[in-house]
Amino acid sequence: MNEFLIFIIDLLKIALPAIIVAVAMYYLVKKHYERDHKIKLLELRQKNAEVVLPIRLQAYERIVLLLERITPSNLLLRVGASGQTAAEYHRVLLNEIRNEFNHNMSQQVYMTEQAWQQVKHAREDVVNLINKTYKELPENSRGTDLAKRILESVLATEQDPTSRALSYVKQEIRQVF
């Protein structure tokens, strides 16, 4: 039994330092790989930011342009009402808003959910304003009558239906950039 104990003690004298060195090496190598992994992740994020940042900026620019284009005063100037009935002009305005929105829908990928919700609410507010104003007109009204009443409604509220969304998007751009 004594010989066995002496053998175990001798074995531990040799193996214990080797085990300690092996464990220490394991942790050092692991720490090195973790640090290397973090550095590579940081480099990847930096390269990603170099590519994505300009795309995000372009997306915000397109959304600001969308909001400006569907702002009632700008929309009415761009889409003239001459020669159309109020019903025809109503359809043209709604179609223009729908097309503008659908054309820029993919930009939501680059925006926060809150900003995109603001954009959607602005579009809905403009559509609701146009619909409400159209419904209040006499049956045989002209497109120019609809345009005039829409502008009067905007002036009465003293705020464009897109102004809140525009402010929010611009504020978000300042935070991101």
Side-chain angles (χ1 to χ4, degrees), residues 66 70 138:
L66 161 73
I70 68 170

Side-chain angles (χ1 to χ4, degrees), residues 60 63 66-67 70 101 105 107-126 161-162 164-166 168-169 172:
Y60 280 105
I63 291 302
L66 161 73
L67 290 169
I70 68 170
F101 186 78
M105 194 177 291
Q107 304 312 310
Q108 68 182 296
V109 171
Y110 302 104
M111 307 177 73
T112 65
E113 183 63 26
Q114 296 83 0
W116 183 246
Q117 289 302 318
Q118 290 286 330
V119 172
K120 285 176 38 181
H121 287 302
R123 179 203 55 177
E124 291 166 8
D125 289 346
V126 173
T162 57
R164 189 173 66 218
L166 271 166
Y168 190 92
V169 169
E172 191 167 284

Side-chain angles (χ1 to χ4, degrees), residues 51-158:
V51 172
V52 172
L53 210 55
I55 293 171
R56 282 189 73 195
L57 180 58
Q58 185 180 32
Y60 280 105
E61 289 172 349
R62 286 183 60 182
I63 291 302
V64 167
L65 182 60
L66 161 73
L67 290 169
E68 288 291 347
R69 288 177 63 88
I70 68 170
T71 295
S73 57
N74 296 336
L75 178 65
L76 296 174
L77 282 174
R78 199 175 71 258
V79 181
S82 61
Q84 298 179 15
T85 66
E88 291 168 337
Y89 192 50
H90 175 251
R91 278 191 299 277
V92 168
L93 290 174
L94 295 182
N95 194 38
E96 183 71 18
I97 292 168
R98 188 178 310 107
N99 288 339
E100 286 287 339
F101 186 78
N102 289 342
H103 181 72
N104 290 290
M105 194 177 291
S106 64
Q107 304 312 310
Q108 68 182 296
V109 171
Y110 302 104
M111 307 177 73
T112 65
E113 183 63 26
Q114 296 83 0
W116 183 246
Q117 289 302 318
Q118 290 286 330
V119 172
K120 285 176 38 181
H121 287 302
R123 179 203 55 177
E124 291 166 8
D125 289 346
V126 173
V127 167
N128 289 338
L129 170 67
I130 292 169
N131 286 336
K132 180 179 175 254
T133 307
Y134 171 71
K135 288 177 184 174
E136 293 172 353
L137 287 175
E139 198 168 307
N140 292 327
S141 296
R142 306 294 313 150
T144 52
D145 298 328
L146 177 58
K148 181 181 173 187
R149 290 271 180 93
I150 290 170
L151 286 175
E152 288 171 353
S153 295
V154 170
L155 290 173
T157 60
E158 297 181 7

